[in-house]
Amino acid sequence: WGAPTGMPRRMTPSELEGARKFASGWGNAEEFSMSFSSGAAGMKGELPGDLRGTFFRNGPGVMDVYGTKLAHPIDGDGLIGKLTFHGDGRASFVARFVETATHVKE
């Protein structure tokens, strides 16, 4: 079915340097929650009044373990982000870690 039969090759230094700009967005995060509404202090513009739904983002939230930097974003502890549009100009965001046994132990 076309699966590779050998080990993947190492990236060249120039390939690795080019990939760094894409990895710069990955870093340590914390659990938090917030709510906001159209017209609130510091907010510009408005959310459409009929915008309703939820967007989930699943990705790494911790990029080091006991001070050791992880080599790849998929090694990081999972963080789920939930952005909810309530349909009345309000929105809220919550971020929580996936409570795996290793994350709880760390």
Side-chain angles (χ1 to χ4, degrees), residues 36-49 89-90:
F36 46 94
S37 58
S38 297
M43 298 292 294
K44 293 182 179 181
E46 293 183 7
L47 293 172
R90 295 179 309 116

Side-chain angles (χ1 to χ4, degrees), residues 18-54:
R20 289 188 198 284
K21 67 180 178 180
F22 298 106
S24 65
W26 302 111
N28 290 338
E30 295 181 16
E31 294 184 338
F32 69 95
S33 64
M34 63 184 292
S35 296
F36 46 94
S37 58
S38 297
M43 298 292 294
K44 293 182 179 181
E46 293 183 7
L47 293 172
D50 60 350
L51 181 60
R52 179 184 305 266
T54 302

Side-chain angles (χ1 to χ4, degrees), residues 34 36 47 50-58 80-88 90-95:
M34 63 184 292
F36 46 94
L47 293 172
D50 60 350
L51 181 60
R52 179 184 305 266
T54 302
F55 172 78
F56 288 93
R57 178 202 175 266
N58 177 12
I80 306 294
K82 179 178 87 166
L83 176 61
T84 302
F85 299 96
H86 299 281
D88 58 2
R90 295 179 309 116
S92 58
F93 182 81
V94 178

